[in-house]
Amino acid sequence: MDALQLANSAFAVDLFKQLCEKEPLGNVLFSPICLSTSLSLAQVGAKGDTANEIGQVLHFENVKDVPFGFQTVTSDVNKLSSFYSLKLIKRLYVDKSLNLSTEFISSTKRPYAKELETVDFKDKLEETKGQINNSIKDLTDGHFENILADNSVNDQTKILVVNAAYFVGKWMKKFSESETKECPFRVNKTDTKPVQMMNMEATFCMGNIDSINCKIIELPFQNKHLSMFILLPKDVEDESTGLEKIEKQLNSESLSQWTNPSTMANAKVKLSIPKFKVEKMIDPKACLENLGLKHIFSEDTSDFSGMSETKGVALSNVIHKVCLEITEDGGDSIEVPGARILQHKDELNADHPFIYIIRHNKTRNIIFFGKFCSP
Ligand SMILES: *[C@@H]1O[C@H](CO)[C@@H](O)[C@H](O)[C@H]1NC(C)=O
Ligand SMILES: *[C@@H]1O[C@H](CO)[C@@H](O)[C@H](O)[C@H]1NC(C)=O
Ligand SMILES: *[C@@H]1O[C@H](CO)[C@@H](O)[C@H](O)[C@H]1NC(C)=O
Ligand SMILES: *[C@@H]1O[C@H](CO)[C@@H](O)[C@H](O)[C@H]1NC(C)=O
């Protein structure tokens, strides 16, 4: 497996755990690949401790050529937009007063072809805000309007990361709409909330993970370029969401074990999962600081001399907005006749909190990482 994919997964897990700590009972959702890409671009312009800490937090130790690695991933992932309504925006907006060095511009031109933009926060703040609002709106086909909240940028903003990720899943095997019923979703041991539950019976790759008393299933989207993995505890066993045991044991090694094909086998599954739409705006700054980005956000300590001679340049803010829609929609299910008799029968009823990952099959990068705790 390639080093960059391992690095990106490790960072994804670290940040997921941080976000879960911040939000123990609520839904969590973010796009690891967007954030990794943006921070790796920032690293190209960083030096000294600032560059080192980005490398550490993003687990780049064993990655030989980080920008080239992201160039390959970006180019592969961009191809997905011809199959899905998937938008991944990962921009770095830099104030023009930084007077970016020609070396930085030329070294990032290829690997980060669409990710770097120079704007004028200092002298034309309102115009720039409008420009960013509008370009993100256009790039997400109108889904994300006004992404910049009023206090997210000001005339002192030097470097701004804007991530916007949008996906409407289209399954390889569609759910029948007539099978969707309102069901109680057990948010914890005692309480339920109504949810629209989608149902089908079909063959999927599924497994049991005994160490966390949990089931795992892989649900491919159309054309199999993307899959959603669901980690579902067999029951709500703790006093909160029922996910405590998984969250505790989750790390990059355990995740790669749990999602390994050898953990799973084809089974005829009676599947029930909620229809849902989650829209999340996260502020990852505090989480990233906890993970070890100690210098990058402070004008006194950051070192961006790889991109600019200007002093006191820091990463001013990180805007990260994600929207994911899971519906019945998909292709016609083609079941192989005959195979079904031999198959082991199983059930997966996601009527209580679960963790999910949407992964790119080819590069194994995690596009979305979330937990669904409450409709
Ligand atoms: C910007 O950089 C160029 C060359 O890198 C230099 O010639 C120019 O004077 C700089 N401008 C400012 C305003 O610092
Ligand atoms: C950009 O969006 C923000 C937040 O929704 C809004 O308050 C602001 O007015 C917008 N700015 C411009 C210039 O359109
Ligand atoms: C379950 O969730 C409800 C509402 O979210 C909350 O009021 C209640 O205290 C929770 N019960 C337990 C046992 O945590
Ligand atoms: C992932 O890709 C491989 C080869 O490209 C393919 O054989 C496999 O079926 C795909 N996985 C899923 C779940 O579709």
Side-chain angles (χ1 to χ4, degrees):
M1 239 178 282
D2 86 79
L4 183 61
Q5 180 264 316
L6 291 175
N8 289 347
S9 294
F11 171 66
V13 168
D14 289 347
L15 187 58
F16 177 74
K17 293 181 77 154
Q18 285 285 328
L19 293 168
C20 288
E21 258 173 52
K22 228 172 119 184
E23 193 144 14
L25 303 177
N27 296 328
V28 164
L29 178 63
F30 70 109
S31 172
I33 191 63
C34 285
L35 198 48
S36 292
T37 308
S38 295
L39 292 173
S40 77
L41 169 52
Q43 193 196 25
V44 179
K47 286 200 170 152
D49 289 340
T50 306
N52 290 338
E53 70 184 17
I54 299 174
Q56 275 161 24
V57 169
L58 295 179
H59 299 274
F60 288 155
E61 309 74 28
N62 300 317
V63 187
K64 287 207 185 68
D65 186 341
V66 172
F68 180 72
F70 278 99
Q71 180 179 340
T72 310
V73 172
T74 298
S75 133
D76 276 333
V77 171
N78 280 348
K79 291 181 190 134
L80 294 173
S81 61
S82 58
F83 299 101
Y84 305 107
S85 67
L86 171 71
K87 302 282 170 198
L88 298 172
I89 286 88
K90 33 194 158 44
R91 286 247 164 122
L92 203 71
Y93 289 98
V94 178
D95 190 66
K96 83 180 203 319
S97 67
L98 265 59
N99 201 10
L100 291 178
S101 73
T102 46
E103 195 197 336
F104 177 70
I105 291 173
S106 65
S107 66
T108 54
K109 201 170 218 153
R110 258 169 176 282
Y112 303 95
K114 289 182 184 148
E115 339 303 46
L116 183 65
E117 200 154 319
T118 303
V119 291
D120 191 349
F121 291 120
K122 192 157 159 273
D123 297 320
K124 292 184 182 152
L125 181 62
E126 284 312 308
E127 218 177 302
T128 300
K129 278 167 78 175
Q131 184 192 328
I132 295 176
N133 278 351
N134 286 334
S135 83
I136 300 298
K137 183 181 169 190
D138 288 347
L139 290 166
T140 58
D141 292 340
H143 288 294
F144 291 167
E145 260 183 276
N146 296 337
I147 193 158
L148 294 186
D150 280 336
N151 57 357
S152 56
V153 292
N154 57 46
D155 62 3
Q156 296 302 307
T157 298
K158 297 295 192 299
I159 305 174
L160 172 74
V161 167
V162 177
N163 292 160
Y166 180 85
F167 181 54
V168 185
K170 228 177 165 192
W171 300 110
M172 195 177 84
K173 300 170 184 173
K174 72 175 175 219
F175 289 82
S176 157
E177 279 175 37
S178 61
E179 296 290 318
T180 301
K181 312 237 152 59
E182 187 174 297
C183 285
F185 184 88
R186 297 181 286 145
V187 294
N188 55 33
K189 270 185 176 167
T190 51
D191 283 48
T192 67
K193 277 188 186 173
V195 73
Q196 291 297 314
M197 192 65 91
M198 312 188 291
N199 295 287
M200 82 158 95
E201 203 171 309
T203 302
F204 291 105
C205 224
M206 186 167 157
N208 287 293
I209 307 160
D210 296 331
S211 58
I212 44 172
N213 200 25
C214 167
K215 293 185 182 191
I216 184 157
I217 193 166
E218 178 174 8
L219 305 174
F221 290 102
Q222 218 164 29
N223 298 305
K224 292 189 166 191
H225 296 298
L226 291 174
S227 285
M228 178 162 170
F229 288 85
I230 292 182
L231 272 162
L232 177 75
K234 289 190 181 149
D235 205 351
V236 182
E237 283 180 339
D238 57 52
E239 299 310 312
S240 86
T241 56
L243 295 172
E244 281 176 8
K245 209 188 261 170
I246 310 186
E247 283 168 23
K248 214 173 267 165
Q249 297 211 18
L250 179 67
N251 56 49
S252 54
E253 290 84 36
S254 61
L255 183 66
S256 99
Q257 256 172 38
W258 298 340
T259 54
N260 194 291
S262 66
T263 311
M264 291 179 266
N266 273 333
K268 182 86 175 174
V269 183
K270 193 167 175 291
L271 174 68
S272 305
I273 61 168
K275 178 172 173 166
F276 66 88
K277 178 174 177 178
V278 177
E279 193 168 310
K280 269 276 176 193
M281 178 105 174
I282 62 162
D283 179 359
K285 247 171 114 169
C287 293
L288 293 171
E289 275 170 346
N290 286 341
L291 291 176
L293 291 188
K294 307 277 185 224
H295 296 81
I296 192 172
F297 296 114
S298 157
E299 286 170 15
D300 300 327
T301 56
S302 63
D303 179 353
F304 279 106
S305 56
M307 65 168 87
S308 170
E309 286 177 12
T310 311
K311 298 281 170 256
V313 174
L315 177 55
S316 309
N317 207 349
V318 180
I319 312 285
H320 189 97
K321 190 169 180 183
V322 180
C323 180
L324 171 68
E325 217 175 324
I326 296 297
T327 68
E328 291 95 348
D329 199 12
D332 284 316
S333 153
I334 305 158
E335 286 286 296
V336 183
R340 61 182 63 184
I341 310 155
L342 299 169
Q343 274 169 6
H344 169 68
K345 278 208 173 184
D346 215 329
E347 186 194 41
L348 188 129
N349 181 10
D351 71 345
H352 54 286
F354 55 89
I355 289 173
Y356 59 93
I357 285 165
I358 296 180
R359 195 182 71 177
H360 182 214
N361 187 21
K362 184 172 175 211
T363 66
R364 305 268 143 159
N365 273 280
I366 300 174
I367 313 287
F368 295 99
F369 204 150
K371 65 170 178 172
F372 186 80
C373 293
S374 178

